[in-house]
Amino acid sequence: MSKWIQYKAYVQRTILSDLEEMDELSYWKNYLFSQCLTYLIPLSLIAIVPGIYWSFVTGYLQIAVLDFTSFLLMCMLILPIRLSIHVRKWLFIACFYVVALTLLWHLGLYGPALVYLLTASIFGTILFSKKFAFVFASINTTICALFSVFIHWEWVVWHNMYPNVFAHWIVITTNLVFVSFIFAAVIPELVGRLQQVINKQQLLQSELVEKRDSLEKAVVQLRQKNGELEQFAYVASHDLQEPLRMVTGFLTQLDKKYAEKLDDKGQQYLHFALDGATRMRKVILEILEFSRIGLDKEPMHDTDVQAMVEEILWMHRKLIRESAAQITFQGLPTVFVHQALIRTLLTNLIINAIKYHSVARRPEITISAKELDGSWLFYIADNGVGIEPENQEIIFQLFKRLSIDNEQQGSGIGLAICKKICNLLGGDIWVSSRLGYGSTFYFTLPVIGKRTVHSADE
Amino acid sequence: MKPIHILLVEDNEGDILLTQEAFEEGKIDNEISVVRDGQEAVDYLNECLLEQSGLPDLVLLDVNLPKLNGHEVLLYIKNHYGLKHIPVIMLTTSSSERDILESYRNYANCFITKPVDVNDFVEAVTGVEDFWLRIVKLPLVSGK
């Protein structure tokens, strides 16, 4: 089998040695030509071997010579000699016509001449460009007409010339001519359509490449802008701290040491100034924290979320004790993440759950997780004050604080940070809540690496 | 007990004032010398060494200084035979990991980020005082 494949490959290589564009129709025509030759040479033996034998038997030695020569010519066409493909094609077609003519001369209607005539015109139409389409059909017509003249004037002598031979000739050859012209008309149509399809493909391809290039450029620009913005936020908030420290610091000193020297109005001014400075400091710290997220290129680790939650609860035990919060957690897996990020995420959510508790009841918080569609879905449910439906999305925006009450020292940025972290980790975050009953914060993290789950209850 | 001599290396006037006031509120008798850039700090210490007196018992060093920065001053102190025994506390606004690591690598005794809130700052400074001046035993050697 491999010999056959090798042979095929050899012919293809020889014929298509002058490499053309694979997208060009001409390439595929030449490819077809190579396939013709590939199959023709072995298959022709089916006709040639018996042909040569019967030629000897019946005494038509010329035909034996013809068969032999034409076979040799075909074999020559696949030799790696310096012959352009165009010349090879013409030789190929010419060979068919020579065979057809010779057979016609000697055998007429009793030989396979007309078959070869038709075949020659079909191949010609396929292998050559559109303008030659009708040439071959016309050649066929001319040959048939010529021979009808020969028959009429008895210039040809065939095996059995009976009186109606002329009529038969006309009848048969008109069919041949008619079929030749059909092929001449139809094949170029197909080829033309193919060319259109190829052209369209090329157009789409170049459009795609263009689009992709502009997209890549846009992405690069965006990344750059983003980086600049983050850096700006970081630098700004960092550099703002020092002057702010001066303002806060000395206003405090003023308050401590000289407040009594001021009258009520003065003291009020001082307090407002101090309060403003303090709030400004908070905001700057928050911006700093927000812009810092994702900057430290910490590598990812397998993080035991269960252990991390325990750690967070331990670190905030004072707050938990003061609020008498009851916290249960279970089913927390090990995830492959940046540890610092997930610690911040969990801490913010847990602290929120504790802080925004209802005064009416003791805070109860549940933390758990389950695997869903290739992600971990975590949820932190509390029985706190709840969130109105219209606010459930905006709380994740920067600086959106819902509680005006100073008691619940809400950080306007906590949830914005959570959202940024979730996005960085490839997940999402949202809340489901009923006003007065409590809220459940959900967030997802993609599953990467091994999964182990703790089912212990605590 | 003689007053503890503290060398404050700081270029920010406001911070100088705050630090001084914070130490004033402290319990230990202390004396603060102030230099405003890294070069001045090195010169001051060299002079103390020459005169064989006046070497500080404690150095509060800011990282961001003109002329020589805090790290360079730290390196100088900790590589000098006559100075390396003095505890150096890096007191700075920078909380960059790199700064912290470099300071400890160069044998800073500790690194404190200046708290933004002035009360916290005072607390930090009094904490320094409490720890370094009351609890910890400082060498009696003051210049050789």
Side-chain angles (χ1 to χ4, degrees):
Chain A
M1 202 61 215
S2 66
K3 284 286 177 198
W4 172 247
I5 295 171
Q6 273 177 13
Y7 163 64
K8 261 178 85 168
Y10 163 73
V11 176
Q12 200 172 324
R13 252 198 331 271
T14 320
I15 302 291
L16 297 171
S17 57
D18 23 345
L19 293 158
E20 285 159 51
E21 283 294 308
M22 291 255 289
D23 287 337
E24 282 300 307
L25 195 63
S26 52
Y27 176 87
W28 293 107
K29 284 198 186 177
N30 295 338
Y31 176 76
L32 197 65
F33 176 53
S34 80
Q35 295 296 82
C36 285
L37 281 175
T38 312
Y39 285 95
L40 185 136
I41 292 174
L43 288 176
S44 63
L45 293 170
I46 298 175
I48 288 182
V49 168
I52 293 185
Y53 173 71
W54 283 112
S55 318
F56 276 115
V57 165
T58 52
Y60 280 101
L61 287 167
Q62 313 93 306
I63 295 180
V65 168
L66 176 75
D67 282 346
F68 191 66
T69 325
S70 55
F71 183 74
L72 270 182
L73 179 64
M74 289 300 171
C75 291
M76 251 182 58
L77 285 179
I78 64 168
L79 289 178
I81 46 180
R82 265 185 196 257
L83 221 59
S84 83
I85 194 166
H86 212 64
V87 173
R88 283 185 214 246
K89 280 198 224 172
W90 277 112
L91 282 176
F92 182 72
I93 302 294
C95 186
F96 272 94
Y97 273 114
V98 165
V99 169
L101 282 169
T102 319
L103 288 175
L104 212 51
W105 183 261
H106 291 285
L107 300 176
L109 285 173
Y110 296 101
L114 295 177
V115 174
Y116 282 96
L117 215 55
L118 185 63
T119 314
S121 71
I122 293 176
F123 274 137
T125 319
I126 295 175
L127 295 177
F128 289 95
S129 68
K130 202 169 176 179
K131 49 188 183 203
F132 290 109
F134 286 97
V135 163
F136 298 101
S138 316
I139 292 178
N140 287 6
T141 319
T142 317
I143 293 177
C144 294
L146 218 60
F147 270 83
S148 59
V149 168
F150 293 165
I151 294 170
H152 184 74
W153 286 343
E154 294 180 14
W155 285 359
V156 278
V157 179
W158 290 338
H159 182 73
N160 199 4
M161 299 290 280
Y162 52 90
N164 289 335
V165 126
F166 183 74
H168 272 153
W169 175 255
I170 298 294
V171 164
I172 291 172
T173 51
T174 43
N175 280 283
L176 176 76
V177 164
F178 141 67
V179 171
S180 304
F181 275 100
I182 289 183
F183 279 111
V186 163
I187 289 174
E189 277 295 306
L190 175 69
V191 166
R193 284 278 174 252
L194 275 174
Q195 181 71 60
Q196 270 183 15
V197 169
I198 288 178
N199 287 346
K200 190 155 187 193
Q201 188 114 336
Q202 275 183 309
L203 204 70
L204 283 175
Q205 189 123 343
S206 65
E207 258 184 44
L208 201 74
V209 167
E210 225 181 274
K211 286 249 156 69
R212 191 196 59 199
D213 282 339
S214 69
L215 211 74
E216 272 178 9
K217 244 196 244 166
V219 164
V220 164
Q221 264 186 350
L222 222 73
R223 274 212 188 112
Q224 209 179 4
K225 272 276 132 61
N226 227 31
E228 277 174 23
L229 229 73
E230 276 194 2
Q231 210 180 1
F232 171 75
Y234 177 81
V235 165
S237 44
H238 192 261
D239 289 346
L240 283 171
Q241 283 195 67
E242 197 269 324
L244 189 60
R245 212 155 38 78
M246 295 294 108
V247 170
T248 321
F250 287 102
L251 278 175
T252 314
Q253 290 295 76
L254 207 64
D255 189 34
K256 256 202 303 202
K257 299 197 169 156
Y258 296 96
E260 334 65 77
K261 295 226 170 91
L262 294 167
D263 65 345
D264 279 341
K265 248 306 155 58
Q267 287 189 9
Q268 219 182 13
Y269 293 164
L270 189 56
H271 286 144
F272 277 121
L274 203 51
D275 183 63
T278 315
R279 278 186 293 119
M280 183 154 82
R281 173 198 144 225
K282 249 199 187 152
V283 167
I284 288 180
L285 281 176
E286 289 170 354
I287 297 177
L288 196 60
E289 202 190 329
F290 185 80
S291 66
R292 265 204 181 129
I293 293 175
L295 271 186
D296 308 316
K297 301 287 174 218
E298 180 200 2
M300 292 167 107
H301 295 291
D302 276 322
T303 311
D304 185 348
V305 177
Q306 180 104 349
M308 185 166 270
V309 170
E310 282 173 12
E311 188 189 318
I312 294 171
L313 295 180
W314 164 254
M315 277 177 60
H316 295 93
R317 60 194 183 280
K318 189 169 169 213
L319 178 66
I320 294 171
R321 204 168 41 232
E322 282 172 3
S323 61
Q326 195 169 22
I327 305 176
T328 50
F329 53 100
Q330 63 174 49
L332 297 175
T334 299
V335 284
F336 190 66
V337 282
H338 304 92
Q339 279 193 338
L341 289 181
I342 196 163
R343 181 180 284 119
T344 310
L345 174 62
L346 288 168
T347 308
N348 281 356
L349 289 173
I350 294 173
I351 300 297
N352 273 1
I354 299 172
K355 274 199 189 144
Y356 291 95
H357 66 267
S358 160
V359 287
R361 49 185 176 261
R362 185 179 174 195
E364 276 167 29
I365 298 163
T366 317
I367 310 167
S368 188
K370 63 178 177 196
E371 203 177 331
L372 198 71
D373 294 338
S375 307
W376 285 112
L377 176 66
F378 290 82
Y379 61 87
I380 298 174
D382 66 57
N383 62 349
V385 292
I387 305 166
E388 308 98 322
E390 57 266 21
N391 287 332
Q392 281 175 19
E393 275 208 35
I394 66 173
I395 48 173
F396 292 104
Q397 289 173 19
L398 267 176
F399 299 126
K400 283 290 182 284
R401 239 172 274 242
L402 292 184
S403 165
I404 319 165
D405 188 355
N406 270 337
E407 281 291 314
Q408 316 195 329
Q409 296 153 0
S411 152
I413 203 165
L415 285 173
I417 288 179
C418 290
K419 182 166 180 161
K420 187 173 178 185
I421 292 177
C422 278
N423 288 341
L424 265 175
L425 292 175
D428 205 1
I429 184 168
W430 66 98
V431 67
S432 159
S433 177
R434 269 177 77 197
L435 197 60
Y437 287 90
S439 320
T440 305
F441 280 85
Y442 297 93
F443 69 91
T444 55
L445 291 177
V447 179
I448 311 170
K450 37 188 204 354
R451 322 139 193 227
T452 48
V453 180
H454 295 269
S455 54
D457 217 316
E458 223 155 356
Chain B
M1 224 182 93
K2 83 170 176 67
I4 302 277
H5 183 202
I6 300 169
L7 176 64
L8 173 61
V9 188
E10 170 68 70
D11 64 328
N12 185 322
E13 285 300 329
D15 276 330
I16 292 174
L17 186 55
L18 286 173
T19 315
Q20 282 172 327
E21 297 208 342
F23 271 106
E24 263 168 36
E25 295 180 26
K27 300 153 193 133
I28 303 256
D29 209 2
N30 55 62
E31 198 183 290
I32 303 186
S33 304
V34 181
V35 288
R36 285 166 176 78
D37 67 56
Q39 188 59 54
E40 217 184 304
V42 169
D43 293 338
Y44 181 92
L45 290 166
N46 282 334
E47 217 183 287
C48 293
L49 283 171
L50 271 170
E51 293 184 6
Q52 298 249 340
S53 81
L55 262 187
D57 302 300
L58 184 64
V59 175
L60 292 174
L61 183 56
D62 188 16
V63 171
N64 301 312
L65 295 167
K67 303 219 183 117
L68 287 172
N69 72 37
H71 289 299
E72 291 170 310
V73 176
L74 176 66
L75 272 166
Y76 183 79
I77 295 176
K78 291 300 175 182
N79 285 321
H80 195 295
Y81 183 75
L83 298 173
K84 56 164 70 166
H85 65 278
I86 307 176
V88 176
I89 299 175
M90 311 291 285
L91 199 62
T92 182
T93 48
S94 166
S95 56
S96 126
E97 275 293 324
R98 240 179 344 135
D99 272 341
I100 298 175
L101 194 61
E102 200 176 333
S103 304
Y104 279 117
R105 276 213 177 114
N106 293 327
Y107 308 111
N109 295 80
C110 69
F111 188 103
I112 301 177
T113 315
K114 280 185 207 160
V116 172
D117 186 273
V118 80
N119 288 326
D120 296 339
F121 185 68
V122 170
E123 252 183 68
V125 166
T126 25
V128 163
E129 204 186 47
D130 277 346
F131 184 73
W132 286 101
L133 303 183
R134 283 199 306 129
I135 297 172
V136 160
K137 295 271 180 273
L138 289 176
L140 290 168
V141 181
S142 45
K144 235 194 186 162

